[in-house]
């Protein structure tokens, strides 16, 4: 079984999956990485569902720490939605990761991580409170994923007036064990509160933890849909595909590289970024490791990341030279081109892509143009267009069909507790 260590630990002191999961970030500020990537039995190709693949993959990572039946039950419950590969042309497909309860691929990681945490805490008869600052898709996926898990509560902080109407409805929907606060400040103020809370002595015994995208418990489950994509691709005669991943923090790409390596595949990857171009710039040797880029606000806001957190993990696992010479091709797409590509995809295939997915389609087209690679490209659809309805309707000039998961949210009373952006205000809410 693999063990895990921090990217910043030269002695490579081993920790268990459970510790990596419950700590999230290593105490030295590094990210946990596996000492080795375990191999899947070739029979993975016969899996009949995403959750079956989830069981196979997770068993290889933590089969020594949780009983097989428990892992299977977690995968079945967490990965309970469709992830179809939709074919648009002979050489172009979309893997739709948007069928979860909050309509983004973040549901895959968040739902699985929540159940894994709950299982480990139940074994210890211990409770934790996940404290999250959110500006978009992560918060609702985490809140929904953890809701009703009896050993974990969630406290969500979002910047009042700075998230879209749909995002706000998703964040404030009443959920068991989840409290949401609208902070009178911006996203940075929310993040600052979270950081202060984690080091506050009075809150030490409160059992705070985080659920951000650097957690292995979110990352590893995401590798399953790359394999589910490969199973579906093969069924239609696509033996080898190129995966195009709309990217921000690079967690999704990292998960794809790990998952396909477990399965003995060696696909080509495209990392499609918006104007936040650190990673394409690094591959082109315009930027170096450790360069600090400011975050630029774009249409595909879930990918607005100046300094991708998973880069440290990619770099530690592969090394800079291997990354630059390896199987990742990357590009950076402006908002204007994103809108044009969204239109082109709609006109050519009748397919409606969210802004993030549209960045992916542009990346796919550029890759083909630049390399002449004729293999089919599978673009990962990372969010449902209805989550970004205004931008999509404005760009395409069409009215989107109503989506039930979002319509249902409108039935709830729109009430949310406000919070002043001070640690004292947060503590008085948490400790009473
Ligand atoms: C989070 C997110 C991304 C970026 O994923 P990373 O794993 O951070 O690279 C892309 N698209 C959508 C819709 C997201 O919510």
């Amino acid at each position: 079984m693999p063990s895990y260590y921090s990217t910043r630990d030269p002695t490579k002191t081993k920790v268990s999956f459970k510790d990596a999961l419950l700590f999230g970030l290593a105490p030295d500020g590094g990210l946990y990485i596996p000492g080795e990537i375990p191999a899947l039995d070739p029979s993975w190709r016969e899996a009949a569902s995403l959750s079956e693949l989830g069981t196979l993959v997770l068993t290889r990572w933590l089969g020594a720490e949780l009983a097989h039946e428990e892992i299977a039950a977690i995968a079945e419950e967490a990965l309970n939605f469709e992830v179809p590969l939709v074919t648009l042309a002979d050489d172009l497909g979309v893997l739709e990761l948007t069928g979860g309860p909050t309509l983004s691929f973040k549901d895959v990681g968040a739902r699985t991580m929540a159940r894994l945490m709950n299982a480990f805490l139940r074994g210890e008869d211990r409770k934790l409170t996940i404290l999250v600052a959110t500006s978009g898709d992560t918060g609702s996926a985490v809140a929904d994923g953890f809701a009703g898990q009896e050993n974990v509560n969630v406290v969500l902080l979002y910047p009042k007036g700075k998230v879209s109407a749909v995002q706000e409805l998703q964040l404030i929907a009443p959920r068991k064990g989840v409290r949401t606060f609208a902070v009178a400040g911006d996203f940075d103020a929310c993040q600052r509160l979270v950081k202060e809370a984690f080091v506050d002595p009075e809150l030490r015994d409160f059992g705070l933890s985080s659920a951000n995208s650097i957690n292995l418990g979110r990352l590893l489950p995401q590798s399953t849909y790359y394999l589910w994509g490969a199973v579906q691709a093969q069924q239609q005669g696509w033996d080898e595909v190129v995966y195009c991943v709309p990217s921000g923090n690079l967690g999704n790409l990292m998960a794809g590289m790990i998952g396909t390596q477990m399965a003995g595949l060696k696909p080509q990857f495209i990392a499609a970024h918006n104007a936040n171009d650190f990673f394409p710039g690094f591959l082109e040797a315009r930027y170096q490791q450790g360069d600090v880029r400011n975050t630029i606000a774009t249409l595909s806001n879930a990918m607005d990341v100046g300094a991708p957190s998973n880069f440290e993990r990619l770099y530690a696992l592969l090394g800079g030279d291997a990354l630059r010479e390896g199987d990742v091709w990357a590009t950076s797409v402006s908002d204007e081109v994103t809108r044009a590509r969204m239109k082109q995809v709609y006109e050519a295939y009748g397919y409606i892509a969210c802004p993030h997915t549209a960045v992916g389609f542009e990346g796919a087209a550029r890759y083909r143009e630049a390399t002449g690679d004729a293999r089919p490209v599978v673009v990962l659809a990372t969010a449902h267009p209805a989550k970004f309805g205004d931008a999509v309707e404005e760009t395409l000039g069409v009215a989107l069909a109503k989506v039930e998961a979002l319509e249902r949210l409108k039935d709830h009373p729109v009430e949310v507790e406000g919070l002043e952006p001070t640690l004292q205000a947060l503590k008085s809410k948490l400790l009473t």
Side-chain angles (χ1 to χ4, degrees), residues 104-106 137 246-252 302-303 356 382-383:
S104 86
F105 82 94
K106 301 231 165 47
D137 293 338
S247 291
N249 264 321
L250 294 168
N252 205 354
M303 311 200 304
H356 312 77
T382 51

Side-chain angles (χ1 to χ4, degrees), residues 31 79 87 93 124 140 332 400 415 422:
L31 277 65
L79 307 175
T87 315
E124 283 191 359
S140 51
S332 157
L400 293 181
E415 258 176 55
T422 67

Side-chain angles (χ1 to χ4, degrees), residues 86-94 238 349 361 364 368 376-379:
V86 177
T87 315
L88 301 183
D90 287 349
D91 57 1
L92 184 64
V94 200
W238 291 354
Y349 313 111
F361 277 110
R368 228 196 272 287
V377 179
V378 171
V379 176

Side-chain angles (χ1 to χ4, degrees), residues 104-106 137-138 213 218 222 245-253 273 302-303 305 310 354 356-357 382-383 388:
S104 86
F105 82 94
K106 301 231 165 47
D137 293 338
T138 296
S213 66
R218 274 178 62 177
Q222 286 176 214
V245 189
S247 291
N249 264 321
L250 294 168
N252 205 354
L253 179 76
H273 289 256
M303 311 200 304
V305 182
N310 270 291
C354 86
H356 312 77
T357 308
T382 51
F388 301 89

Side-chain angles (χ1 to χ4, degrees), residues 321-334:
D321 291 343
L323 260 178
R324 282 181 175 142
E325 286 155 22
D327 303 319
V328 188
W329 191 91
T331 192
S332 157
V333 180
S334 70

